Amino acid sequence: LAARYGDASLRRLTDATAGRVPYLGSGAFKKIFKRSLGDLWREFEAETQPAMAGPGATVTRLTAHGFTVGGPRFGPDGTLYYSVVNPHGFPALLARAPGAVAPRKVADRYLGTHIGFAGSALVFDRMEIERQVGLQSDLYVMDGAGGGPERLTHGARAGDPDVSPDGRVIVCTIQRDDRRELATLPFPSARTARAQPRPLVSEPGVHFSSPRWSPDGRAIAAERVSLAGRSEIVLVDPESGRVMRTVASSHGSRSVSPAWLPDGRMLFASDRDGDGFRIFATDLASGQTSRLEDAGTNAASPEPSRDGRTLVYVGYTPAGYDLFSLPLESARWTAAASDPIGPAAIMETPLVPATAAPTGYSPWRTIAPRFWTPTLESDEGELVIGAATGGTDALGRHVYGVEAGWSTAR
């Protein structure tokens, strides 16, 4: 709609629907666009369907969880670990052994999608409630063969862990007020030991994510996004924290989820072509970038097996996200335009300093209701017609709901 009628039309649509009775707002589309909602939707489907390439014949669907599946990672023994969030159970970290059809539950996992390995030990991130009001991410370690997770960091806001090939150093991200930095910490010699991440690279207004160690341990690949809108895959020196080079870079699109092939090529997903995320591979020596054709559109989070024969990725279906696999030896790649590989530009993003003086928090300014909905209830022949509303403050500390109804039987 924005591309055809302009961005301002969406604002007019918002104003038009806001003044209508809930569930009866579709008439606003006719008022703003001179076409019914049904006609606009059918035109949208007709225009987008040809551009949405499906997976090739060599692709195998591995899971059927639906909703949200993410973070696939092969363990040292070939076991495939991944996270799932759907209505059928508490969010969890699952594992699928080689040759197995059904996965097993490894641990509860509220959010968090990254996993690292140090021998048989798993390092992963998940969210926990802190001080009864906030959700913060921390790192956990557990034995893949069994046993419960042990908390590795406490209140560090740490996420996206990966372990160096020698199993000695963990790289992760740390969320700050104005940035997300890369940090490292030693893998604990004792499971009960607490660790404090040390910043590796930190830039104002820049967010790092999804760090991955290279197979030789000499570089860390990571996503790097600035407030200026530039999305990059960069290589970072694990000793000095220097951003050595840019593997992928774009304005107006995303380059995400880097992973290493055994031959040293860099895999990543990008929506640079404007038709959903695709999987790309860049040869670091030549700078040549290729696009994987077999996975189709809406393919992300590539994870190659340790022998380099199989690629697992997250694909999209009408039921949500799931895992798919394809053989790399017969995969079809086409040449893709790539940015020159060179030193990463350090972008100075001006930040507006805070000018307001700190004050005590009050929920009253944000707790007022901002919606209402009609209600209709029937129970044992009694019909109740009414309305409901509710609200919450900005920090989610206070929540309320109110409903009033009139019974036709009284």
Side-chain angles (χ1 to χ4, degrees), residues 195-245:
Q196 185 63 37
R198 297 178 57 186
L200 177 65
V201 54
S202 180
E203 305 170 32
V206 172
H207 291 248
F208 288 90
S209 60
S210 304
R212 292 289 293 267
W213 286 91
S214 64
D216 59 9
R218 299 172 61 184
I220 298 171
E223 301 174 30
R224 181 177 181 267
V225 180
S226 77
L227 294 182
R230 193 170 185 85
S231 173
E232 301 174 310
I233 302 293
V234 298
L235 299 185
V236 177
D237 184 345
E239 297 295 332
S240 65
R242 180 173 60 91
V243 179
M244 300 184 292
R245 61 193 302 181

Side-chain angles (χ1 to χ4, degrees), residues 6-318:
D7 293 338
S9 66
L10 298 184
R11 183 172 183 175
R12 296 197 303 271
L13 177 64
T14 301
D15 293 339
T17 55
R20 292 176 177 257
V21 175
Y23 308 117
L24 300 178
S26 60
F29 286 82
K30 186 85 170 181
K31 176 181 178 181
I32 301 300
F33 303 112
K34 311 305 180 186
R35 301 180 64 81
S36 70
L37 175 58
D39 289 342
L40 292 169
W41 179 257
R42 282 186 288 271
E43 292 173 4
F44 169 74
E45 286 186 313
E47 291 176 3
T48 57
Q49 193 64 34
M52 304 303 287
T58 60
V59 173
T60 300
R61 185 171 179 173
L62 299 180
T63 65
H65 299 292
F67 285 81
T68 303
V69 174
R73 194 72 191 271
F74 281 103
D77 62 351
T79 297
L80 180 62
Y81 294 84
Y82 61 94
S83 297
V84 61
V85 179
N86 61 29
H88 309 304
F90 195 82
L93 173 63
L94 304 182
R96 177 172 168 169
V101 176
R104 63 178 176 87
K105 181 178 177 179
V106 177
D108 290 333
R109 189 183 198 186
Y110 186 71
L111 302 182
T113 58
H114 289 71
I115 310 168
F117 299 93
S120 62
L122 284 71
V123 179
F124 62 94
D125 55 342
R126 72 180 183 187
M127 303 284 275
E128 293 287 352
I129 297 177
E130 294 291 335
R131 300 178 183 176
Q132 300 181 347
V133 295
L135 283 171
Q136 291 185 10
S137 178
D138 269 305
L139 305 186
Y140 293 77
V141 60
M142 67 178 297
D143 195 315
E150 299 287 343
R151 196 162 185 169
L152 185 57
T153 61
H154 293 257
R157 300 180 184 267
D160 299 4
D162 192 30
V163 183
S164 59
D166 60 10
R168 299 174 59 185
V169 181
I170 300 171
V171 64
C172 65
T173 60
I174 302 294
Q175 183 65 56
R176 304 295 186 191
D177 290 341
D178 65 339
R179 70 193 74 185
R180 185 184 299 125
E181 58 194 21
L182 286 184
T184 59
L185 63 156
F187 185 82
S189 56
R191 295 292 171 83
T192 57
R194 294 189 179 186
Q196 185 63 37
R198 297 178 57 186
L200 177 65
V201 54
S202 180
E203 305 170 32
V206 172
H207 291 248
F208 288 90
S209 60
S210 304
R212 292 289 293 267
W213 286 91
S214 64
D216 59 9
R218 299 172 61 184
I220 298 171
E223 301 174 30
R224 181 177 181 267
V225 180
S226 77
L227 294 182
R230 193 170 185 85
S231 173
E232 301 174 310
I233 302 293
V234 298
L235 299 185
V236 177
D237 184 345
E239 297 295 332
S240 65
R242 180 173 60 91
V243 179
M244 300 184 292
R245 61 193 302 181
T246 302
V247 178
S249 179
S250 61
H251 278 288
S253 63
R254 297 260 334 257
S255 296
V256 301
S257 55
W260 297 84
L261 284 166
D263 61 10
R265 285 184 296 162
M266 174 63 62
L267 290 172
F268 62 95
S270 177
D271 61 349
R272 60 173 64 182
D273 294 333
D275 58 352
F277 278 93
R278 298 277 192 115
I279 294 175
F280 294 82
T282 294
D283 186 305
L284 299 184
S286 65
Q288 294 181 344
T289 298
S290 302
R291 188 179 74 180
L292 178 64
E293 300 299 331
D294 303 271
T297 54
N298 291 313
S301 302
E303 170 65 10
S305 60
R306 303 214 167 194
D307 58 10
R309 300 176 60 184
T310 303
L311 177 69
V312 172
Y313 65 93
V314 176
Y316 187 74
T317 74

